[in-house]
């Protein structure tokens, strides 16, 4: 439990609206282990200690020890989450990456059971290796976009999604899971066995136990053709609908972010993937962006966004017609620590990073939402570095669904200097984006930051208080905590 001093400190941080970096900057003299997230570096947190169990028994032993100590537990894997879900000050941090085995593979039903600490590339590589020479092979349905090196347990905790045009979030692909609760019990969960805990753990931000294994539904591997066009975003909803009618399975649209050219949020590169016959030959060499190409695009996205969009569009148009596999085309390049290198190249006066936000609106309201957002960005000269638009189907599995309707997803990456003014500016921008989504009867993703106001959380996530109450019911000792949880526990203290 938090002390009164910690609660008051958290309230002061909320009032300051400066986010996790300003609230949780640890003192160098404090004992423990300093950890942080990979992408933003805005969550420096000093945990009591880190343990990386390599077996179920070792995990249960660590949790029993934490209970004996009266110590809260936080859970991390790839450490890409940006909202503080994986760290808690003074907690025992369980690093799940030691639990990374494949437990079983049902080739008849297309099910694979893995330990939750396995990362997506290792799972994809296992499936490819185990099915060499088979006439019919299985692959993943979807994974989160951007970075690959996330653990399945972490993807499940946020109920992530990919670029599927017809897919709900990851919850739809989960057949079953197991977790260890605060008392050290190993619990099996599915839609039939412990269904409420199953629904709470998926999209449960690590608050209901340590997910130890996941049984994932697979899909037959298929060959896909990429089809690319540069379009006006006013026509994007209609273009998505056309692609759906034509049988495309995956796709997204990267939009222009330059404030000066007049193309901001008006033009985009729409890349979609449709099935082709199984005997379609796979090309020996695909045209692709290499690591140095990505570094140059990232640099241009900070200093010459018009040129960045031109180069990106040129490359993707040149790849139209290329053939990919339905699973491996979802893997991507992520430049670890890219902003540190970029800050040095650009001689930035302060460290920076991109803060991500994801907004949801009804598909027929997408053009109106983009127009309102464009006006806001132009008026405030918002430093948007990169953005994409996808589709999501309704989530009918998780207790706290963020995909409450079949929505359009608008992802924004705002350059955020790690200064008081930089954090305050991004806070205002994301709150304004959420307000625009609400005006269009939409919502936002809880995972990326803790900058939403109490009213915004209440309106966009109407089951949030019920979710917090369920957490206390399933974890009455509040064994599993994080800075994310502590923030919202304080925000909704009166209801709890």
């Amino acid at each position: 439990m938090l002390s009164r001093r910690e609660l008051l400190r958290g309230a002061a941080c909320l009032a300051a609206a400066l986010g996790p970096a300003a609230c949780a900057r640890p003192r160098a003299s404090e004992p423990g282990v300093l950890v942080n997230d990979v992408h933003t570096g805005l969550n420096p947190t000093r945990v009591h200690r880190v343990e990386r169990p390599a077996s179920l028994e070792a995990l249960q032993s660590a949790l029993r020890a934490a209970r004996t100590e009266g110590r809260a537990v936080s859970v991390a894997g790839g450490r890409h989450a940006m909202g503080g879900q994986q760290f808690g000050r003074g907690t025992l941090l369980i690093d799940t990456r030691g639990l990374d085995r494949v437990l079983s593979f049902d080739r008849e039903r297309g099910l694979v059971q893995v330990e939750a600490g396995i990362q997506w590339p290792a799972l994809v590589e296992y499936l490819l290796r185990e099915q060499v020479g088979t006439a019919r092979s299985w692959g993943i349905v979807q994974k989160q976009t951007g970075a690959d090196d996330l653990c399945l347990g972490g993807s499940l905790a946020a109920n992530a999604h990919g670029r599927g045009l017809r897919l709900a979030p990851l919850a739809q692909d989960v057949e079953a899971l197991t977790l260890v609760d605060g008392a050290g019990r190993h619990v099996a969960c599915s839609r039939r066995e412990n269904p409420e805990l199953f629904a709470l753990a998926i999209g449960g931000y690590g608050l209901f136990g340590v997910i130890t294994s996941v049984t994932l539904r697979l899909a037959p591997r298929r060959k896909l053709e990429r089809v690319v066009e540069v379009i006006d975003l006013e026509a994007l909803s209609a273009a998505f609908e056309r692609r759906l009618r034509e049988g495309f399975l995956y796709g997204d649209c990267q939009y222009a972010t330059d404030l000066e050219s007049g193309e901001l949020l008006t033009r985009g590169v729409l890349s979609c993937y449709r099935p082709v016959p199984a005997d379609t030959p796979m090309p020996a060499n695909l045209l692709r962006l290499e690591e140095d190409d990505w570094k140059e695009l990232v640099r241009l996205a900070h200093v010459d966004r018009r040129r960045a969009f031109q180069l990106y569009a040129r490359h993707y148009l040149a790849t139209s017609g290329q053939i990919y596999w339905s699973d491996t085309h979802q893997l991507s390049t992520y430049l670890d620590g890219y902003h540190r290198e970029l800050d040095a190249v650009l001689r930035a006066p302060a460290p920076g990073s991109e803060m991500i936000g994801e907004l949801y609106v009804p598909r027929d309201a997408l053009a109106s939402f983009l127009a309102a957002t464009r006006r806001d960005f132009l008026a405030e000269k918002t430093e948007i570095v990169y953005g994409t638009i996808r589709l999501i189907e309704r989530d009918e599995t998780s207790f706290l669904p963020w995909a409450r309707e079949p929505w359009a997803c608008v992802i924004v990456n705002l350059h955020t200097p790690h200064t008081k003014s930089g954090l305050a500016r991004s806070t205002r921008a994301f709150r304004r984006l959420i307000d625009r989504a609400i005006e269009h009867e939409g919502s936002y993703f809880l995972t990326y930051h803790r900058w939403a106001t109490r009213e915004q959380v209440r309106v966009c996530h109407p089951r949030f208080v019920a979710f917090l109450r369920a957490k206390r019911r399933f974890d009455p000792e509040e064994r599993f905590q994080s800075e994310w949880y502590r923030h919202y526990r304080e925000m909704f203290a009166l209801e709890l």
Side-chain angles (χ1 to χ4, degrees), residues 137-209:
S137 58
W138 299 93
I140 61 169
V141 177
Q142 64 177 323
K143 57 169 281 297
Q144 76 291 326
T145 57
D148 293 339
D149 294 336
L150 277 71
C151 298
L152 265 71
S155 297
L156 218 62
N159 200 13
H161 70 110
R163 58 172 63 95
L165 294 174
R166 304 169 181 274
L167 299 178
L170 188 60
Q172 71 161 31
D173 306 328
V174 180
E175 180 74 11
L177 61 87
T178 61
L179 60 77
V180 176
D181 66 14
R185 295 181 293 251
H186 193 218
V187 184
C189 303
S190 69
R191 290 171 178 81
R192 297 168 296 281
E193 187 175 9
N194 297 309
E196 187 179 11
L197 185 55
F198 178 76
L200 285 162
I202 301 176
Y205 301 97
L207 296 177
F208 294 86

Side-chain angles (χ1 to χ4, degrees), residues 406-481:
W407 273 330
C409 314
V410 180
I411 296 95
V412 298
N413 288 253
L414 301 187
H415 177 63
T416 304
H418 296 186
T419 63
K420 183 176 181 180
S421 61
L423 291 165
R425 183 179 178 88
S426 288
T427 299
R428 290 193 300 271
F430 280 114
R431 287 179 175 177
R432 191 164 53 245
L433 281 164
I434 295 169
D435 280 340
R436 290 285 179 254
I438 291 172
E439 290 169 8
H440 290 82
E441 299 184 344
S443 185
Y444 75 98
F445 198 28
L446 278 163
T447 300
Y448 290 122
H449 58 79
R450 306 198 299 271
W451 291 338
T453 66
R454 182 181 182 280
E455 183 63 12
Q456 288 174 333
V457 178
R458 188 191 65 78
V459 171
C460 293
H461 299 280
R463 300 195 74 188
F464 197 78
V465 171
F467 171 80
L468 294 178
R469 287 174 176 157
K471 188 269 189 299
R472 289 193 172 179
R473 180 157 48 87
F474 279 91
D475 182 21
E477 297 179 340
E478 294 186 285
R479 182 67 51 217
F480 298 100
Q481 296 190 24

Side-chain angles (χ1 to χ4, degrees), residues 86-297:
Q86 73 273 56
F87 307 135
R89 185 180 178 187
T91 63
L92 164 63
L93 176 62
I94 298 293
D95 184 337
T96 63
R97 288 175 293 180
L99 300 166
D100 62 353
R101 296 175 301 159
V102 176
L103 301 175
S104 66
F105 178 26
D106 186 336
R107 297 168 189 258
E108 294 298 317
R109 300 170 61 202
L111 298 174
V112 63
Q113 185 184 28
V114 297
E115 290 182 322
I118 196 171
Q119 297 187 335
W120 289 97
L123 173 58
V124 171
E125 290 167 10
Y126 168 85
L127 292 171
L128 292 175
R129 185 174 62 252
E130 290 296 309
Q131 299 178 98
V132 171
T134 58
R136 182 193 188 201
S137 58
W138 299 93
I140 61 169
V141 177
Q142 64 177 323
K143 57 169 281 297
Q144 76 291 326
T145 57
D148 293 339
D149 294 336
L150 277 71
C151 298
L152 265 71
S155 297
L156 218 62
N159 200 13
H161 70 110
R163 58 172 63 95
L165 294 174
R166 304 169 181 274
L167 299 178
L170 188 60
Q172 71 161 31
D173 306 328
V174 180
E175 180 74 11
L177 61 87
T178 61
L179 60 77
V180 176
D181 66 14
R185 295 181 293 251
H186 193 218
V187 184
C189 303
S190 69
R191 290 171 178 81
R192 297 168 296 281
E193 187 175 9
N194 297 309
E196 187 179 11
L197 185 55
F198 178 76
L200 285 162
I202 301 176
Y205 301 97
L207 296 177
F208 294 86
V210 182
I211 297 176
T212 54
S213 74
V214 181
T215 302
L216 203 62
R217 298 168 177 169
L218 303 172
R221 295 187 81 218
R222 307 176 73 171
K223 293 178 182 178
L224 306 175
E225 178 189 11
R226 178 190 278 175
V227 178
V228 183
E229 60 180 321
V230 178
I231 68 169
D232 293 325
L233 294 187
E234 284 187 351
L236 180 57
S237 287
F240 273 136
E241 289 300 319
R242 184 175 70 253
R243 293 299 187 218
L244 286 167
R245 290 194 301 271
E246 293 168 345
F248 283 71
L249 300 181
Y250 298 90
D252 56 16
C253 181
Q254 279 69 42
Y255 55 81
T257 60
D258 182 39
L259 295 170
E260 309 299 331
S261 67
E263 292 191 333
L264 170 69
L265 284 168
T266 65
R267 299 279 285 166
V269 179
L270 177 62
S271 304
C272 295
Y273 299 79
R274 64 182 169 197
V276 294
D279 60 357
T280 302
M282 295 297 295
N285 295 297
L286 290 173
L287 181 63
R288 54 176 292 174
L289 291 169
E290 303 297 338
E291 184 171 313
D292 286 344
D293 300 319
W294 281 114
K295 286 182 178 180
E296 177 61 8
L297 279 175

